[in-house]
Amino acid sequence: MLFGGTMHTFLPGRRPLSPGNRAGLGAALVLLAVVSAVEVADGPKEVHYVGLLAAVPFVAAVFAVWQVVLGAGLLATVVGAVFVGVGGGQVGMAGLINLMGIMLATGVAAAGATIRQRQAEQITELLRLAAVAQQAVLRPIGPQVGALAVAGRYISATAAADIGGDLYEALNTPYGVRIIIGDVRGKGLDAVRLASIVLGSYRHVAYERADLKLIVEDLDRAVARSVGDEDFVTAALVEERGGTLTIVNCGHPAPLLLRRGQVIPLEPPAPAPPLGFMPEVKPRVERLEPGDRLLLFTDGLGEARREGEFFPTADRAWRLLGHGTVGDGLASLETALVDWVYGRLEDDIALVLLEYAGPDGGAAVSVPSWEVGAAGS
C-alpha cells in the first residue's frame, strides 16, 4: 500500500504514463527494492544502506518528469524513515542526515528533470519547425506534369527528423517540363536554407530561360552569393520537350533510363563541377519512347551499403521501378533499400521517378535548339 498510495498523488493528471515516465518509475522502484532488500538482509539493529536511497530520485530523473521524480523521492524518504525508526529505536543524528540527504537529492533531481524536460520540448519544437521548413521547401510534385507522370520521395537517414539538404522540383514551363534534383553539402538548417535558395531561384528562372545552360549559370551565381568557399550543391537538370530529353549535370549522380527491361546510366558528355564552382555544362540529349522511365537520385542512394557492399541500384532498378505507377516504383525501391541496409542509412536520399507516356496531343512544343534536325522541325 505504501508504493501505490504514494505515487498516485504525484502522477501528472490521471492519464496513462508515457514510456519515459514508466521507464523512470520502474528503474526507481527496482533500485528502491534492491536497497530495501539489502537493508533488511543486514539486520534490524542498525541501518547502513539507507543513504543509497538518495539515488532513487536521480534514477527516476533520467527518463521521467519532475512529478514522478518527486513521487519516487517521497517514497524513498518514507521507506528510509521506516528503516531509520526500526533500526535505531529512535531517530538519531545519522538517521536525520540520511533522510535530509534523500530529500535534498529529491529536490535536485526534480530540478534536473524539469530542465531536461524543457530542453527536450525545445528540441522537439525545433525539429518540428525544421521539418515544416523543409516541407515548405520540398513541395509535393506530380502525379502528372505535362507529358510526364512524376513522383518524388524523400528518405531521411535519421528517425528524429526529416531534414537535410536534398532537393527536387518539377515544373511545367513554356519550354517543356523541367525537373531539378540536387544535394547540398552538409546537413541541418544551413543545408535547408541553401536548398531553399536554390529552389527559389530555380522556380523563377525555369520559366524565364529558354536554355538549361543559362539556368545553370543563374543557379551557380545564387549559390556562390550564399555560401563559403567550401560549400557547393550538386545538381542535375532535366528537360522534356516534345519527346526530347535533355540533361545537364553539375557533379551529380547520373540519372538512370529504364527502357524495355534495360537500365541505362545517362552519363554527361563531359564532367562538370557542382553549383558554386562555375560549372561549364554540356547537355546530353535523348529521344524518349512511350513507357520510358527515368530515375533521378541523390548520392545517398549510391552510398547505401551493408557490410561494405553497396546497394545494387542498376541491377535491381528495373524489377523495382518498372511496375505499377511511378509512386509504386519508388515505394518498392525504398522498401528494398531500407531492407538492404537493415534500416540504417548513412545519408538522406531524394528520389524522383518520371514516366513518359508519349505525345499528349496538345499544343506543339519546339524541340531544343541544340538537337540535330531541329531546324527542320
Side-chain angles (χ1 to χ4, degrees), residues 367-377:
V367 296
S369 58
W370 54 78
E371 183 186 355
V372 177
S377 59

Side-chain angles (χ1 to χ4, degrees), residues 164-345:
D166 293 14
L167 58 96
Y168 54 75
E169 180 63 287
L171 302 172
N172 192 6
T173 75
Y175 308 104
V177 177
R178 286 177 164 175
I179 300 102
I180 186 174
I181 188 164
D183 189 357
V184 176
R185 179 182 179 272
K187 295 182 181 294
L189 290 177
D190 287 340
V192 174
R193 179 186 63 84
L194 183 52
S196 69
I197 291 172
V198 173
L199 286 175
S201 299
Y202 176 75
R203 287 164 181 158
H204 172 70
V205 299
Y207 288 96
E208 304 295 330
R209 301 295 193 184
D211 193 328
L212 289 181
K213 294 180 182 179
L214 297 178
I215 295 179
V216 169
E217 292 176 4
D218 289 335
L219 296 181
D220 178 69
R221 286 193 292 269
V223 171
R225 286 193 299 264
S226 306
V227 301
D229 294 337
E230 297 182 356
D231 295 322
F232 56 85
V233 181
T234 68
L237 283 73
V238 176
E239 177 185 275
E240 184 279 319
R241 191 190 306 190
T244 296
L245 183 72
T246 306
I247 303 171
V248 294
N249 196 316
C250 305
H252 199 77
L256 299 179
L257 176 64
L258 285 70
R259 172 179 290 168
R260 300 192 301 270
Q262 294 183 323
V263 179
I264 307 166
L266 299 182
E267 299 286 350
L275 298 173
F277 294 142
M278 297 183 292
E280 292 287 339
V281 295
K282 293 185 178 180
R284 173 161 182 166
V285 181
E286 299 282 339
R287 289 297 298 180
L288 289 174
E289 300 177 4
D292 282 353
R293 290 190 173 188
L294 186 71
L295 175 65
L296 310 174
F297 56 93
T298 53
D299 59 5
L301 179 60
E303 295 172 358
R305 59 187 180 271
R306 65 178 183 193
E307 301 174 356
E309 186 178 0
F310 290 96
F311 181 73
T313 304
D315 294 339
R316 302 181 64 179
W318 179 259
R319 284 182 293 164
L320 294 171
L321 301 172
H323 68 91
T325 66
V326 287
D328 295 334
L330 289 187
S332 296
L333 177 58
E334 179 179 359
T335 300
L337 179 64
V338 172
D339 180 68
W340 178 269
V341 298
Y342 303 122
R344 297 187 297 272
L345 290 169

Side-chain angles (χ1 to χ4, degrees), residues 19-36:
N21 287 331
R22 287 199 300 269
L25 179 59
L29 292 179
V30 168
L31 179 59
L32 182 62
V34 170
V35 174
S36 299

